[in-house]
Amino acid sequence: MSKLSTASVAYHIRSHDTYGILSPNSLEGTGIIFRNYDFKLVSPPDSEYGQGDKKEKFRFARTLVCIQCIISALFAKILIQFFEGSKPDHTKNWLYGLCSLSYLGAMVSSNSALQYVNYPTQVLGKSCKPIPVMILGVTILRKRYPLAKYLCVLLIVGGVALFLYKPNKSSAVADDHVFGFGEILLLISLTLDGLTGVAQDHMRSRFQTTANHMMLNINLWSMLVLGLIVLTTGEVSDFLSFTERYPSIIYNILLFGVTSALGQTFIFMTVVNFGPLTCSIVTTTRKFFTILGSVLLFGNVMSSMQWVGTVLVFLGLGLDAKFGKTPKKTTH
């Protein structure tokens, strides 16, 4: 058994998830949905630079994420100086390191899996993140959820999957592929997402880790790991050459880093105040709400499957707000 799980099982969790699903209309939820837009609007990997036949695509994702971690760490440090002062942080460094490694591992596994899995599997994988967070929270941290909570999570996950799923009508041949390397990577990614949630839940319940300290230290560890990778692979030198050819990209990267840091602030606020499970549900439903918002604003037509998914999501959110709260313990 790992060091984290041993300590977690031995320790009786004092803080349970006493909140329902966080509404995306709240401050944290709005910030996370905003973060979904910043990736689409200012992310350099989606851009081409140059003119005519000499156009080049930005291909330095690891360097970009490393810079993002640097900016986010600086942003968190500023927040700590202004709002927390000299308040000590008693969280173990190995917990931050473990959380950072599981987060980066989940991201790498998920991105790699997309090269091997078909679209329905991809949608299902993206929609199921709250499930491993809940399962590992129950098995490792001995968390307790009411039965209604499990039903609500399944309704939300199923609704998001139905809403995002688009059948491939152009493919007339049935896909005989059942399970392979891509699915294994997807399972690894989901498991690591769950472990990230376990580590974060352990931090906030045992060490009362603040959102800003969590954001600072996880980004510092991620920056260290990614920095070693981009230096050893030589990606950083190629990146610097690219910025010399196209200096305008520096503005895009800085804008991307700042908006991402702002979004991370809301994410860690949600983790600390509401728990990793609620945060995973908000981040899972954010794409649903952005697409639904575009439908309402621009009058796009939704399919019958999307309407069913919409009903399931709102049903799950509504039931969770009413019945999904963990009852508070009473002291005598």
Side-chain angles (χ1 to χ4, degrees):
M1 184 177 289
S2 66
K3 188 176 181 181
L4 171 63
S5 56
T6 303
S8 303
V9 171
Y11 178 74
H12 180 70
I13 299 300
R14 295 193 299 267
S15 174
H16 293 276
D17 183 11
T18 57
Y19 300 90
I21 297 299
L22 177 63
S23 168
N25 292 324
S26 69
L27 180 63
E28 289 90 343
T30 304
I32 293 173
I33 291 175
F34 167 75
R35 186 172 184 261
N36 188 43
Y37 281 110
D38 79 59
F39 274 92
K40 295 180 182 299
L41 294 177
V42 302
S43 177
D46 294 333
S47 306
E48 289 185 343
Y49 295 84
Q51 296 179 349
D53 297 334
K54 295 183 178 180
K55 283 187 177 181
E56 295 183 66
K57 194 172 181 66
F58 186 91
R59 302 183 185 278
F60 310 101
R62 288 174 296 191
T63 305
L64 176 67
V65 176
C66 185
I67 295 173
Q68 173 195 338
C69 291
I70 295 172
I71 295 175
S72 296
L74 290 173
F75 192 80
K77 185 66 175 177
I78 293 172
L79 291 176
I80 291 173
Q81 291 297 324
F82 274 92
F83 298 106
E84 298 183 27
S86 57
K87 183 179 179 180
D89 178 27
H90 301 291
T91 310
K92 304 297 183 182
N93 278 324
W94 65 266
L95 261 178
Y96 286 129
L98 180 64
C99 190
S100 173
L101 289 174
S102 62
Y103 163 73
L104 291 175
M107 182 171 59
V108 171
S109 301
S110 178
N111 291 338
S112 301
L114 298 183
Q115 302 175 23
Y116 303 96
V117 298
N118 54 25
Y119 185 77
T121 307
Q122 174 187 345
V123 170
L124 185 62
K126 286 183 176 180
S127 306
C128 288
K129 286 186 178 181
I131 294 179
V133 173
M134 175 176 272
I135 292 175
L136 292 182
V138 170
T139 55
I140 297 179
L141 295 183
R142 298 294 190 262
K143 291 183 71 70
R144 295 290 181 266
Y145 299 103
L147 185 61
K149 189 79 169 182
Y150 296 94
L151 175 62
C152 295
V153 169
L154 289 176
L155 284 173
I156 294 168
V157 167
V160 172
L162 285 176
F163 188 86
L164 298 180
Y165 174 73
K166 293 180 181 178
N168 188 4
K169 297 180 180 179
S170 62
S171 178
V173 181
D175 188 2
D176 295 330
H177 176 75
V178 178
F179 195 89
F181 185 61
E183 285 77 9
I184 293 175
L185 288 174
L186 208 54
L187 287 175
I188 292 174
S189 176
L190 290 171
T191 302
L192 291 174
D193 279 327
L195 289 175
T196 302
V198 167
Q200 291 174 334
D201 221 344
H202 187 63
M203 290 181 206
R204 78 185 190 106
S205 60
R206 181 165 188 176
F207 301 102
Q208 288 76 50
T209 310
T210 65
N212 295 327
H213 277 109
M214 193 180 292
M215 177 177 170
L216 170 65
N217 287 281
I218 290 177
N219 276 289
L220 286 176
W221 275 93
S222 301
M223 179 183 67
L224 176 63
V225 174
L226 289 169
L228 291 174
I229 292 175
V230 297
L231 286 174
T232 54
T233 59
E235 181 179 309
V236 66
S237 60
D238 295 334
F239 167 76
L240 292 175
S241 299
F242 191 91
T243 57
E244 287 180 3
R245 294 193 298 273
Y246 310 106
S248 62
I249 196 177
I250 297 175
Y251 170 78
N252 290 344
I253 291 175
L254 292 177
L255 183 59
F256 170 80
V258 171
T259 52
S260 180
L262 183 60
Q264 274 197 33
T265 303
F266 291 109
I267 285 179
F268 284 105
M269 284 171 59
T270 306
V271 169
V272 169
N273 294 313
F274 297 92
L277 177 60
T278 299
C279 184
S280 68
I281 293 173
V282 174
T283 54
T284 298
T285 56
R286 77 187 190 277
K287 190 171 185 179
F288 162 80
F289 280 105
T290 53
I291 296 175
L292 184 62
S294 70
V295 169
L296 297 176
L297 288 174
F298 303 109
N300 297 323
V301 179
M302 291 202 307
S303 66
S304 56
M305 184 180 294
Q306 286 180 314
W307 278 113
V308 173
T310 301
V311 171
L312 290 178
V313 170
F314 280 105
L315 181 62
L317 291 173
L319 289 176
D320 185 83
K322 181 69 175 177
F323 304 106
K325 299 178 182 180
T326 303
K328 295 182 179 180
K329 292 184 178 180
T330 57
T331 56
H332 299 283

